[in-house]
Amino acid sequence: MINTRELGKRLIFCAWGIPLGWWIINSTTSIVPKSLGSVLPGQIAAVFLIILACYEYIKMLAVSFKRNGFWLSYL
């Protein structure tokens, strides 16, 4: 069964989320001055996703390994 009440919210999110995601992934515009090097929006997004994944992994391990879950994420 499709929940039609939430469909409008999801379509509005897709209307701006898909173009923004495409721009972040494919942009070649550096977001820092050229004197500091080149940092692309996709690189920032990748680092953010890695940090988020490590946080979720630590939370997942904390359920079974309350004392040792934290250091395993560094491996």
Side-chain angles (χ1 to χ4, degrees):
M1 183 104 201
I2 297 175
N3 185 358
T4 56
R5 277 193 278 154
E6 300 294 322
L7 183 61
K9 292 179 186 177
R10 292 178 183 182
L11 289 175
I12 290 172
F13 175 79
C14 289
W16 65 266
I18 291 173
L20 180 64
W22 181 87
W23 178 80
I24 288 173
I25 292 170
N26 294 312
S27 178
T28 57
T29 305
S30 180
I31 57 175
V32 297
K34 290 192 186 266
S35 62
L36 296 175
S38 178
V39 178
L40 302 177
Q43 293 169 329
I44 299 294
V47 169
F48 175 73
L49 287 174
I50 290 168
I51 291 170
L52 184 65
C54 285
Y55 173 74
E56 290 293 327
Y57 188 68
I58 289 168
K59 280 182 28 181
M60 180 186 70
L61 287 179
V63 173
S64 298
F65 305 103
K66 294 182 183 1
R67 295 185 64 205
N68 297 327
F70 185 75
W71 68 272
L72 285 175
S73 66
Y74 289 113
L75 295 177

